[in-house]
Every structure is written in structure tokens, then in C-alpha cells.
Short mmCIF file of all heavy atoms in Angstrom, two decimals:
data_model
loop_
_atom_site.label_atom_id
_atom_site.label_comp_id
_atom_site.label_asym_id
_atom_site.label_seq_id
_atom_site.Cartn_x
_atom_site.Cartn_y
_atom_site.Cartn_z
N ALA A 1 -137.89 -17.95 37.63
CA ALA A 1 -137.38 -18.16 38.99
C ALA A 1 -138.03 -17.18 39.97
O ALA A 1 -138.44 -17.58 41.09
CB ALA A 1 -135.87 -18.03 39.03
N ILE A 2 -138.17 -15.94 39.61
CA ILE A 2 -138.83 -14.96 40.47
C ILE A 2 -140.25 -15.37 40.76
O ILE A 2 -140.69 -15.33 41.90
CB ILE A 2 -138.77 -13.53 39.84
CG1 ILE A 2 -137.33 -13.04 39.73
CG2 ILE A 2 -139.65 -12.55 40.62
CD1 ILE A 2 -136.64 -12.80 41.05
N GLY A 3 -140.98 -15.74 39.72
CA GLY A 3 -142.36 -16.16 39.89
C GLY A 3 -142.49 -17.36 40.82
O GLY A 3 -143.36 -17.38 41.73
N TYR A 4 -141.69 -18.36 40.64
CA TYR A 4 -141.74 -19.53 41.47
C TYR A 4 -141.28 -19.24 42.87
O TYR A 4 -141.81 -19.81 43.86
CB TYR A 4 -140.94 -20.70 40.87
CG TYR A 4 -141.68 -21.47 39.79
CD1 TYR A 4 -141.13 -21.61 38.52
CD2 TYR A 4 -142.91 -22.07 40.04
CE1 TYR A 4 -141.79 -22.31 37.53
CE2 TYR A 4 -143.58 -22.78 39.06
CZ TYR A 4 -143.01 -22.89 37.81
OH TYR A 4 -143.69 -23.62 36.84
N ALA A 5 -140.26 -18.39 43.05
CA ALA A 5 -139.79 -18.03 44.38
C ALA A 5 -140.88 -17.29 45.15
O ALA A 5 -141.13 -17.57 46.33
CB ALA A 5 -138.54 -17.18 44.29
N LEU A 6 -141.56 -16.36 44.49
CA LEU A 6 -142.69 -15.64 45.13
C LEU A 6 -143.79 -16.60 45.52
O LEU A 6 -144.32 -16.53 46.63
CB LEU A 6 -143.24 -14.55 44.21
CG LEU A 6 -142.34 -13.33 44.02
CD1 LEU A 6 -142.90 -12.43 42.91
CD2 LEU A 6 -142.19 -12.55 45.31
N ASP A 7 -144.14 -17.50 44.63
CA ASP A 7 -145.20 -18.46 44.91
C ASP A 7 -144.81 -19.38 46.10
O ASP A 7 -145.60 -19.59 47.00
CB ASP A 7 -145.50 -19.33 43.70
CG ASP A 7 -146.61 -20.31 43.96
OD1 ASP A 7 -147.78 -19.86 43.98
OD2 ASP A 7 -146.32 -21.50 44.18
N ALA A 8 -143.57 -19.87 46.07
CA ALA A 8 -143.15 -20.75 47.18
C ALA A 8 -143.17 -20.01 48.51
O ALA A 8 -143.62 -20.58 49.52
CB ALA A 8 -141.76 -21.29 46.87
N ALA A 9 -142.68 -18.80 48.55
CA ALA A 9 -142.63 -18.06 49.83
C ALA A 9 -144.01 -17.66 50.28
O ALA A 9 -144.36 -17.87 51.44
CB ALA A 9 -141.75 -16.81 49.66
N ILE A 10 -144.83 -17.10 49.40
CA ILE A 10 -146.13 -16.57 49.77
C ILE A 10 -147.11 -17.68 50.11
O ILE A 10 -147.77 -17.67 51.13
CB ILE A 10 -146.69 -15.64 48.68
CG1 ILE A 10 -145.83 -14.39 48.60
CG2 ILE A 10 -148.15 -15.29 48.96
CD1 ILE A 10 -146.05 -13.54 47.35
N ARG A 11 -147.20 -18.67 49.25
CA ARG A 11 -148.09 -19.80 49.51
C ARG A 11 -147.56 -20.73 50.58
O ARG A 11 -148.30 -21.32 51.34
CB ARG A 11 -148.41 -20.51 48.23
CG ARG A 11 -149.22 -19.60 47.27
CD ARG A 11 -149.65 -20.23 46.02
NE ARG A 11 -150.59 -21.30 46.28
CZ ARG A 11 -150.96 -22.16 45.34
NH1 ARG A 11 -150.49 -22.08 44.13
NH2 ARG A 11 -151.83 -23.12 45.64
N GLY A 12 -146.24 -20.83 50.64
CA GLY A 12 -145.63 -21.68 51.65
C GLY A 12 -145.87 -21.25 53.06
O GLY A 12 -146.07 -22.06 53.96
N ILE A 13 -145.89 -19.95 53.30
CA ILE A 13 -146.08 -19.41 54.63
C ILE A 13 -147.52 -19.68 55.13
O ILE A 13 -147.79 -19.61 56.30
CB ILE A 13 -145.69 -17.92 54.72
CG1 ILE A 13 -145.36 -17.53 56.16
CG2 ILE A 13 -146.78 -17.04 54.14
CD1 ILE A 13 -144.68 -16.22 56.28
N GLU A 14 -148.42 -19.94 54.21
CA GLU A 14 -149.82 -20.23 54.56
C GLU A 14 -150.02 -21.69 54.90
O GLU A 14 -151.15 -22.08 55.25
CB GLU A 14 -150.73 -19.80 53.41
CG GLU A 14 -150.68 -18.32 53.11
CD GLU A 14 -151.43 -17.95 51.82
OE1 GLU A 14 -151.82 -18.84 51.08
OE2 GLU A 14 -151.57 -16.72 51.60
N THR A 15 -148.99 -22.51 54.83
CA THR A 15 -149.09 -23.93 55.12
C THR A 15 -148.09 -24.29 56.21
O THR A 15 -147.37 -23.43 56.70
CB THR A 15 -148.80 -24.77 53.86
OG1 THR A 15 -147.43 -24.58 53.47
CG2 THR A 15 -149.70 -24.38 52.68
N ASP A 16 -148.01 -25.61 56.53
CA ASP A 16 -147.00 -25.99 57.47
C ASP A 16 -145.67 -26.14 56.75
O ASP A 16 -145.60 -26.07 55.50
CB ASP A 16 -147.36 -27.28 58.21
CG ASP A 16 -147.53 -28.47 57.29
OD1 ASP A 16 -146.73 -28.64 56.35
OD2 ASP A 16 -148.44 -29.28 57.54
N LEU A 17 -144.59 -26.29 57.49
CA LEU A 17 -143.24 -26.33 56.92
C LEU A 17 -143.09 -27.49 55.92
O LEU A 17 -142.49 -27.28 54.85
CB LEU A 17 -142.19 -26.44 58.04
CG LEU A 17 -140.75 -26.48 57.56
CD1 LEU A 17 -140.37 -25.23 56.76
CD2 LEU A 17 -139.82 -26.65 58.76
N THR A 18 -143.62 -28.64 56.22
CA THR A 18 -143.48 -29.79 55.34
C THR A 18 -144.09 -29.50 53.97
O THR A 18 -143.48 -29.73 52.93
CB THR A 18 -144.11 -31.06 55.94
OG1 THR A 18 -143.44 -31.32 57.19
CG2 THR A 18 -144.00 -32.24 55.04
N GLN A 19 -145.31 -28.94 53.96
CA GLN A 19 -145.96 -28.60 52.70
C GLN A 19 -145.22 -27.49 51.97
O GLN A 19 -145.10 -27.52 50.75
CB GLN A 19 -147.43 -28.22 52.94
CG GLN A 19 -148.30 -29.35 53.36
CD GLN A 19 -149.70 -28.90 53.73
OE1 GLN A 19 -149.89 -27.81 54.23
NE2 GLN A 19 -150.66 -29.73 53.43
N GLY A 20 -144.71 -26.51 52.70
CA GLY A 20 -143.94 -25.45 52.11
C GLY A 20 -142.68 -25.98 51.43
O GLY A 20 -142.33 -25.58 50.32
N LEU A 21 -141.99 -26.87 52.13
CA LEU A 21 -140.77 -27.47 51.53
C LEU A 21 -141.10 -28.33 50.31
O LEU A 21 -140.33 -28.34 49.35
CB LEU A 21 -140.05 -28.31 52.60
CG LEU A 21 -139.41 -27.52 53.73
CD1 LEU A 21 -138.90 -28.43 54.84
CD2 LEU A 21 -138.27 -26.65 53.21
N GLU A 22 -142.24 -29.00 50.34
CA GLU A 22 -142.65 -29.80 49.16
C GLU A 22 -142.93 -28.89 47.98
O GLU A 22 -142.55 -29.19 46.85
CB GLU A 22 -143.88 -30.65 49.49
CG GLU A 22 -143.58 -31.81 50.40
CD GLU A 22 -144.84 -32.53 50.88
OE1 GLU A 22 -145.96 -32.14 50.51
OE2 GLU A 22 -144.68 -33.49 51.67
N ARG A 23 -143.59 -27.77 48.22
CA ARG A 23 -143.85 -26.79 47.15
C ARG A 23 -142.53 -26.25 46.56
O ARG A 23 -142.33 -26.20 45.36
CB ARG A 23 -144.70 -25.65 47.65
CG ARG A 23 -144.96 -24.54 46.60
CD ARG A 23 -145.86 -23.46 47.12
NE ARG A 23 -147.17 -23.97 47.47
CZ ARG A 23 -148.13 -24.22 46.58
NH1 ARG A 23 -147.91 -24.03 45.29
NH2 ARG A 23 -149.30 -24.71 46.96
N GLU A 24 -141.62 -25.89 47.48
CA GLU A 24 -140.32 -25.40 47.05
C GLU A 24 -139.59 -26.42 46.21
O GLU A 24 -139.03 -26.09 45.15
CB GLU A 24 -139.50 -25.04 48.28
CG GLU A 24 -138.08 -24.54 47.98
CD GLU A 24 -137.29 -24.31 49.22
OE1 GLU A 24 -136.75 -25.28 49.76
OE2 GLU A 24 -137.22 -23.14 49.65
N ALA A 25 -139.55 -27.67 46.68
CA ALA A 25 -138.82 -28.72 45.92
C ALA A 25 -139.48 -28.96 44.56
O ALA A 25 -138.79 -29.15 43.55
CB ALA A 25 -138.84 -30.03 46.74
N GLY A 26 -140.80 -28.90 44.51
CA GLY A 26 -141.49 -29.05 43.22
C GLY A 26 -141.16 -27.94 42.25
O GLY A 26 -140.88 -28.20 41.05
N HIS A 27 -141.14 -26.71 42.74
CA HIS A 27 -140.78 -25.56 41.89
C HIS A 27 -139.32 -25.67 41.45
O HIS A 27 -139.01 -25.38 40.28
CB HIS A 27 -141.00 -24.24 42.64
CG HIS A 27 -142.46 -23.89 42.85
ND1 HIS A 27 -143.52 -24.58 42.28
CD2 HIS A 27 -143.00 -22.91 43.56
CE1 HIS A 27 -144.66 -24.01 42.67
NE2 HIS A 27 -144.36 -23.00 43.45
N PHE A 28 -138.45 -26.10 42.35
CA PHE A 28 -137.05 -26.25 42.03
C PHE A 28 -136.89 -27.27 40.86
O PHE A 28 -136.19 -27.04 39.91
CB PHE A 28 -136.22 -26.70 43.23
CG PHE A 28 -134.76 -26.71 42.99
CD1 PHE A 28 -133.99 -25.60 43.24
CD2 PHE A 28 -134.13 -27.86 42.48
CE1 PHE A 28 -132.61 -25.62 43.01
CE2 PHE A 28 -132.77 -27.87 42.27
CZ PHE A 28 -132.01 -26.75 42.51
N GLY A 29 -137.61 -28.36 40.99
CA GLY A 29 -137.60 -29.41 39.96
C GLY A 29 -138.07 -28.90 38.63
O GLY A 29 -137.48 -29.20 37.56
N LEU A 30 -139.15 -28.13 38.63
CA LEU A 30 -139.66 -27.57 37.36
C LEU A 30 -138.63 -26.61 36.74
O LEU A 30 -138.45 -26.64 35.52
CB LEU A 30 -140.99 -26.83 37.63
CG LEU A 30 -142.18 -27.67 37.98
CD1 LEU A 30 -143.36 -26.80 38.42
CD2 LEU A 30 -142.58 -28.56 36.81
N LEU A 31 -138.01 -25.81 37.57
CA LEU A 31 -137.03 -24.86 37.06
C LEU A 31 -135.78 -25.55 36.54
O LEU A 31 -135.11 -25.03 35.63
CB LEU A 31 -136.68 -23.81 38.14
CG LEU A 31 -137.77 -22.78 38.43
CD1 LEU A 31 -137.49 -22.05 39.72
CD2 LEU A 31 -137.95 -21.85 37.29
N ALA A 32 -135.46 -26.68 37.09
CA ALA A 32 -134.22 -27.40 36.67
C ALA A 32 -134.33 -27.83 35.20
O ALA A 32 -133.28 -28.09 34.57
CB ALA A 32 -133.99 -28.63 37.59
N ALA A 33 -135.51 -27.89 34.69
CA ALA A 33 -135.71 -28.34 33.29
C ALA A 33 -135.87 -27.15 32.31
O ALA A 33 -136.16 -27.36 31.15
CB ALA A 33 -136.93 -29.23 33.19
N THR A 34 -135.60 -25.93 32.77
CA THR A 34 -135.84 -24.77 31.92
C THR A 34 -134.55 -24.29 31.23
O THR A 34 -133.44 -24.55 31.74
CB THR A 34 -136.41 -23.58 32.73
OG1 THR A 34 -135.45 -23.14 33.68
CG2 THR A 34 -137.72 -23.95 33.43
N HIS A 35 -134.75 -23.61 30.14
CA HIS A 35 -133.64 -22.96 29.45
C HIS A 35 -132.97 -21.93 30.36
O HIS A 35 -131.72 -21.81 30.37
CB HIS A 35 -134.12 -22.30 28.14
CG HIS A 35 -133.09 -21.44 27.49
ND1 HIS A 35 -132.92 -20.11 27.79
CD2 HIS A 35 -132.14 -21.73 26.57
CE1 HIS A 35 -131.92 -19.61 27.09
NE2 HIS A 35 -131.45 -20.59 26.33
N ASP A 36 -133.78 -21.18 31.12
CA ASP A 36 -133.25 -20.14 31.98
C ASP A 36 -132.28 -20.69 33.01
O ASP A 36 -131.25 -20.08 33.30
CB ASP A 36 -134.37 -19.40 32.70
CG ASP A 36 -134.99 -18.31 31.82
OD1 ASP A 36 -134.57 -18.14 30.65
OD2 ASP A 36 -135.90 -17.60 32.36
N MET A 37 -132.57 -21.87 33.58
CA MET A 37 -131.64 -22.48 34.55
C MET A 37 -130.33 -22.82 33.88
O MET A 37 -129.25 -22.49 34.42
CB MET A 37 -132.27 -23.75 35.18
CG MET A 37 -131.45 -24.31 36.34
SD MET A 37 -130.02 -25.36 35.95
CE MET A 37 -130.78 -26.68 35.09
N HIS A 38 -130.38 -23.41 32.71
CA HIS A 38 -129.14 -23.75 32.01
C HIS A 38 -128.37 -22.49 31.61
O HIS A 38 -127.16 -22.45 31.76
CB HIS A 38 -129.45 -24.62 30.78
CG HIS A 38 -130.00 -25.96 31.17
ND1 HIS A 38 -129.21 -26.95 31.72
CD2 HIS A 38 -131.26 -26.47 31.10
CE1 HIS A 38 -129.98 -28.02 31.97
NE2 HIS A 38 -131.20 -27.75 31.59
N GLU A 39 -129.07 -21.45 31.16
CA GLU A 39 -128.44 -20.20 30.82
C GLU A 39 -127.80 -19.55 32.07
O GLU A 39 -126.71 -19.04 32.00
CB GLU A 39 -129.44 -19.23 30.18
CG GLU A 39 -128.98 -17.80 30.02
CD GLU A 39 -127.72 -17.63 29.17
OE1 GLU A 39 -127.32 -18.55 28.41
OE2 GLU A 39 -127.15 -16.54 29.25
N GLY A 40 -128.49 -19.59 33.16
CA GLY A 40 -127.97 -19.00 34.42
C GLY A 40 -126.71 -19.68 34.86
O GLY A 40 -125.70 -19.00 35.24
N LEU A 41 -126.70 -20.99 34.85
CA LEU A 41 -125.48 -21.75 35.25
C LEU A 41 -124.34 -21.52 34.25
O LEU A 41 -123.18 -21.31 34.65
CB LEU A 41 -125.79 -23.23 35.34
CG LEU A 41 -126.65 -23.63 36.54
CD1 LEU A 41 -126.92 -25.16 36.48
CD2 LEU A 41 -126.00 -23.27 37.85
N LYS A 42 -124.67 -21.51 32.98
CA LYS A 42 -123.65 -21.28 31.93
C LYS A 42 -123.06 -19.90 32.12
O LYS A 42 -121.81 -19.72 32.04
CB LYS A 42 -124.23 -21.48 30.57
CG LYS A 42 -123.22 -21.38 29.42
CD LYS A 42 -123.88 -21.65 28.09
CE LYS A 42 -122.85 -21.52 26.98
NZ LYS A 42 -123.45 -21.68 25.67
#
């Protein structure tokens, strides 16, 4: 999550808002399928 959050923020600021939001949503989707996300919620 830290890695994807850094990537979304740092790379997102270099693009327009629409592209930044798309990157964020993509990263969120990838994280939703991880063990860490399930462990965090649990």
C-alpha cells in the first residue's frame, strides 16, 4: 500500500487529474486482491 500510494501521488502529480485518478483507481484495484488488504480489514 505504501509503494502504490507513493507511486500514485508522485506520478499522479505529473499528469492531469483524470490520469492521476485513473492511476489511483488502478492501484486500488490491484491492492484489493492482495493478502495485505484482507489482513488489514480483518
Side-chain angles (χ1 to χ4, degrees):
I2 295 294
Y4 279 124
L6 288 171
D7 182 76
I10 293 166
R11 293 184 65 190
I13 202 166
E14 297 171 352
T15 65
D16 63 39
L17 180 59
T18 300
Q19 290 175 327
L21 290 170
E22 288 172 0
R23 176 177 299 282
E24 178 185 82
H27 289 352
F28 187 91
L30 291 171
L31 288 166
T34 66
H35 171 272
D36 278 2
M37 188 279 298
H38 294 287
E39 168 60 15
L41 289 177
K42 185 177 178 184

